[in-house]
Amino acid sequence: MNAAKMIGHQSLWLARRLLSGVIVVWAAATFTFFVQFLMPGERAQIIFNANSGNVGEIPRDQLLAINAKYGFDQPVIVQYGRYIRDVMHGDLGQSYVQYQPVTDLIGRQIGPTIALAFAAVLTAWIITITTTVLFAGRDNIWPKALGGLQVFLATLPPYWLATILLVVFAIQLRLFPVVGGNTLMGLVLPTIALALEIYGFLGQAVLSEFTRVLDQPFITSSRMRGTGDLGIRLRHALRHAALPGITLSGWIIGKLLSGAVLIEAVFGRQGLGGVLVAATSTRDVPVVSGVILVSAALFVATSLFVDLTVQLIDPRMKEA
Amino acid sequence: MSFATSSAGHAKAFITARVLTGARRFPVRVYVAAFFMAFFLIAAIEPKLLQTHDPLMLSLTSPLKAPSLTHWLGTDQSGRDLYSRIVAGTGHSLSIGLGATALSLALALILGVTAGLSGGWIDNVLSRLFDALFALPTLFLALLFVSLLGTSVPTLVIAVGLGTSPGYARMVRVQVLSVKATSYVEAARALGHSPRRILFKHILPNAISPLATMFTLGVGQAIIWASGLSFLGLGVAPPSSEWGALLNAGRNYVIYAWWLEVMPGIAIAALALSVTVVGQYVQQRLEGRIELP
């Protein structure tokens, strides 16, 4: 394959990946738009209740006024077109309950959540690589024990693991602040709780591939040429075993965000969790939909980034 | 005659041996898991058999007591026995989990089979939708349904059921596609069987059987998600002793009474783990693999 053809191939691949990313966000937006019609009663009722502070039936004139203001009186197809146009322009609509754009609400709180998610995924990878390189494929009880631990961690409710850490290390041993705020010390326990859950899934994927790769002929021939065991594990096996873990990354984003929201509640941390829980209990649908669309965009961005990274690690993937 | 008796005796001895060795082949973890499942099943059906106290009896003299011989798992802020409350809540949690999983799989089955069978643009549209929904965090999808329908027990079942179904729908679709491509379906088609007959006699039974294990594994996950919603205060409200509601009620007391948070969590984890262990074991046996990966 000559260089020009290679570049053409590459940009075509990138274009296709971008298009499928756009389709994911568009499908998610379409879903959140049409699903809101499942809500019993008038949408204006929720806005009216939040505005006036009472829970009575909305008067007719108010209903018409709110419907006109929010465009609820337009045909559904027009509303849909507007919604998609706004989403494409990065406008996720107005909160029903708090008088602000949804993007402002999310933008102000997403930082701590992203920090927690990022710290957790990094920690999970560090634990995964360390335990796999040390214990995988050994002729003793360790690989089995490790596998059991991973299934255990993957099955535990994430908020419960977080509670245990809080009780043991913050309340009983007083090593960490109980209500951490957004200090670095306050980030440690939530990160460990979230990382251990992710490790449960990530570790299983990497461990099984690592064990499989250790039996491959190229490993044996490397050994015959005198490469030490640690060298084989770090330089050869890990490279292959990391791939299934990396391809899980997009899916891990969803796990991370779900887990982060619950763990933020355990530790009383600032973040997306607070926004989402408040919006759900006040039935502020645009905010909940907005958070969902932001996580869809995060998923798409991560998947794209991961696919590019995988190509660097494994050039064979360029063909796919 | 003598041949028949000896053969019957032989067969009997063989079967006994099979049963014995077969029974001995269960790993220890499966026994432990089965024990917990039996415990929770009894607790769900007839909680009085297992309770040591009346789960609703208030006792002003013994609020927030640590676990002891009288109160095995301690007491809550109103002096109610936590162990008996957890037992009382089992039926609630289990039925929400079962309901949500049933809903989730039913929806996944309808959509997944439709996509897998029809092919063409219908399959394209549906599988794109599954992919997009699968990309979204399960908890957020569930929260979207709670925000649309308001907090209640039926909403919780619907929210968890709909939130977890995109993943299953993808699996069902792939399963249908792979069964559709097998040689026995091709043979049935070559023999001139009607599409209807092929669907109900060949494709559906073979595509659905893996759903049995998915269901077991799904119940554990559904209970975790449902209790997670209750824990956030968006599921079952605190007077109930559903496990997530117990966790939510204990949140304010976690500094003085750790057992209020730890013990209901152990119940959730024990149920989810035992269901997972049994589900994975059955899955491995069905696939003919006995060794854990």
Side-chain angles (χ1 to χ4, degrees):
Chain A
M1 203 184 278
N2 61 45
K5 212 173 162 190
M6 192 104 159
I7 291 166
H9 190 81
Q10 187 79 5
S11 51
L12 189 72
W13 174 86
L14 197 63
R16 267 180 39 206
R17 289 292 290 114
L18 280 173
L19 183 68
S20 75
V22 169
I23 289 178
V24 167
V25 176
W26 170 67
T30 306
F31 175 78
T32 52
F33 176 81
F34 283 105
V35 93
Q36 65 178 322
F37 294 103
L38 285 180
M39 188 156 79
E42 295 280 351
R43 280 176 284 178
Q45 179 80 53
I46 288 169
I47 300 168
F48 172 72
N49 290 350
N51 283 358
S52 62
N54 66 39
V55 287
E57 187 78 26
I58 180 170
R60 184 89 192 133
D61 57 320
Q62 290 273 354
L63 175 74
L64 293 177
I66 291 175
N67 277 352
K69 187 179 166 212
Y70 284 81
F72 295 159
D73 51 355
Q74 302 282 327
V76 170
I77 191 74
V78 174
Q79 291 186 43
Y80 175 66
R82 275 193 189 160
Y83 182 66
I84 294 293
R85 186 197 64 202
D86 288 348
V87 168
M88 284 197 304
H89 287 90
D91 175 5
L92 298 173
Q94 287 280 324
S95 158
Y96 286 171
V97 178
Q98 309 186 45
Y99 307 103
Q100 342 182 17
V102 172
T103 40
D104 288 4
L105 273 170
I106 295 174
R108 234 176 292 125
Q109 297 290 337
I110 202 169
T113 305
I114 297 282
L116 172 59
F118 188 74
V121 83
L122 203 67
T123 314
W125 267 106
I126 292 171
I127 307 175
T128 301
I129 290 174
T130 321
T131 54
T132 313
V133 168
L134 285 180
F135 301 124
R138 305 277 190 214
D139 275 336
N140 50 28
I141 189 92
W142 283 108
K144 251 195 152 156
L146 200 60
L149 177 73
Q150 287 162 349
V151 172
F152 180 71
L153 290 174
T155 315
L156 284 186
Y159 48 88
W160 183 66
L161 194 61
T163 310
I164 297 284
L165 292 178
L166 180 77
V167 166
V168 174
F169 292 102
I171 295 173
Q172 302 289 330
L173 299 178
R174 294 165 197 269
L175 293 176
F176 296 95
V178 175
V179 178
N182 285 335
T183 59
L184 201 58
M185 277 306 260
L187 190 62
V188 174
L189 289 181
T191 301
I192 293 175
L194 195 51
L196 285 178
E197 195 213 352
I198 300 300
Y199 169 68
F201 297 95
L202 192 64
Q204 284 183 55
V206 174
L207 181 67
S208 70
E209 181 67 9
F210 197 95
T211 316
R212 201 185 64 79
V213 168
L214 277 183
D215 283 337
Q216 297 283 308
F218 74 90
I219 296 285
T220 318
S221 79
S222 253
R223 277 196 210 282
M224 266 164 40
R225 271 183 270 118
T227 318
D229 185 52
L230 196 65
I232 287 195
R233 283 169 179 265
L234 283 175
R235 241 174 300 145
H236 297 293
L238 189 62
R239 244 185 139 169
H240 287 257
L243 271 182
I246 291 172
T247 45
L248 269 181
S249 297
W251 177 79
I252 283 178
I253 288 288
K255 272 270 166 208
L256 277 172
L257 291 175
S258 289
V261 163
L262 287 162
I263 284 169
E264 280 168 4
V266 174
F267 291 94
R269 272 175 64 82
Q270 288 256 305
L272 218 48
V275 178
L276 200 54
V277 171
T280 307
S281 59
T282 52
R283 311 188 61 184
D284 196 350
V285 179
V287 174
V288 184
S289 304
V291 172
I292 287 180
L293 290 186
V294 168
S295 46
L298 279 175
F299 167 83
V300 166
T302 315
S303 312
L304 194 63
F305 175 73
V306 162
D307 284 354
L308 288 170
T309 321
V310 167
Q311 288 203 348
L312 292 180
I313 296 181
D314 187 349
R316 285 174 305 180
M317 294 291 165
K318 272 190 189 141
E319 309 300 320
Chain B
M1 195 60 192
S2 77
F3 172 75
T5 1
S6 93
S7 150
H10 200 82
K12 205 172 155 195
F14 178 72
I15 289 169
T16 321
R18 267 304 297 268
V19 168
L20 278 179
T21 52
R24 217 178 286 148
R25 268 215 303 267
F26 284 129
V28 181
R29 64 175 193 282
V30 175
Y31 282 115
V32 177
F35 169 78
F36 275 108
M37 277 169 82
F39 178 88
F40 287 125
L41 217 57
I42 297 171
I45 297 166
E46 198 51 60
K48 289 213 167 49
L49 285 178
L50 298 170
Q51 282 161 352
T52 54
H53 294 74
D54 179 353
L56 297 175
M57 192 180 66
L58 306 175
S59 165
L60 295 176
T61 50
S62 56
L64 298 179
K65 283 268 187 294
S68 65
L69 281 178
T70 26
H71 296 288
W72 294 350
L73 304 182
T75 63
D76 70 1
Q77 68 282 6
S78 316
R80 289 173 292 195
D81 182 57
L82 186 60
Y83 166 73
S84 304
R85 293 204 77 199
I86 289 176
V87 169
T90 310
H92 230 108
S93 290
L94 204 57
S95 49
I96 290 171
L98 286 172
T101 315
L103 176 69
S104 168
L105 284 183
L107 201 69
L109 198 61
I110 295 170
L111 293 175
V113 169
T114 311
L117 281 185
S118 49
W121 69 270
I122 299 180
D123 181 32
N124 249 323
V125 168
L126 281 177
S127 54
R128 286 285 172 184
L129 185 69
F130 300 157
D131 284 351
L133 293 184
F134 184 67
L136 306 175
T138 311
L139 182 73
F140 293 8
L141 272 186
L143 288 179
L144 178 63
F145 288 107
V146 174
S147 72
L148 288 169
L149 304 172
T151 52
S152 71
V153 176
T155 303
L156 191 59
V157 172
I158 294 172
V160 174
L162 295 182
T164 50
S165 68
Y168 296 127
R170 289 176 86 196
M171 286 192 231
V172 172
R173 175 180 166 271
V174 171
Q175 192 68 29
V176 168
L177 284 180
S178 73
V179 173
K180 223 168 100 178
T182 54
S183 44
Y184 58 82
V185 168
E186 206 180 319
R189 206 171 290 139
L191 283 172
H193 288 303
S194 68
R196 230 181 102 99
R197 189 185 157 87
I198 293 173
L199 171 62
F200 284 105
K201 287 275 174 193
H202 299 289
I203 296 181
L204 275 188
N206 286 297
I208 286 176
S209 60
L211 278 182
T213 43
M214 270 202 247
F215 188 81
T216 358
L217 296 174
V219 172
Q221 287 302 306
I223 289 176
I224 288 179
W225 287 122
S227 61
L229 286 179
S230 299
F231 169 74
L232 290 174
L234 300 168
V236 187
S240 154
S241 54
E242 192 265 339
W243 295 342
L246 287 181
L247 285 175
N248 188 33
R251 269 168 84 180
N252 297 333
Y253 303 94
V254 67
I255 295 179
Y256 330 100
W258 53 268
W259 53 92
L260 289 180
E261 284 296 275
V262 173
M263 299 305 179
I266 290 182
I268 297 169
L271 182 54
L273 268 173
S274 48
V275 171
T276 307
V277 164
V278 170
Q280 282 189 342
Y281 181 72
V282 172
Q283 194 174 30
Q284 280 157 13
R285 289 302 292 254
L286 286 180
E287 285 172 5
R289 271 172 50 221
I290 295 167
E291 222 16 67
L292 248 185

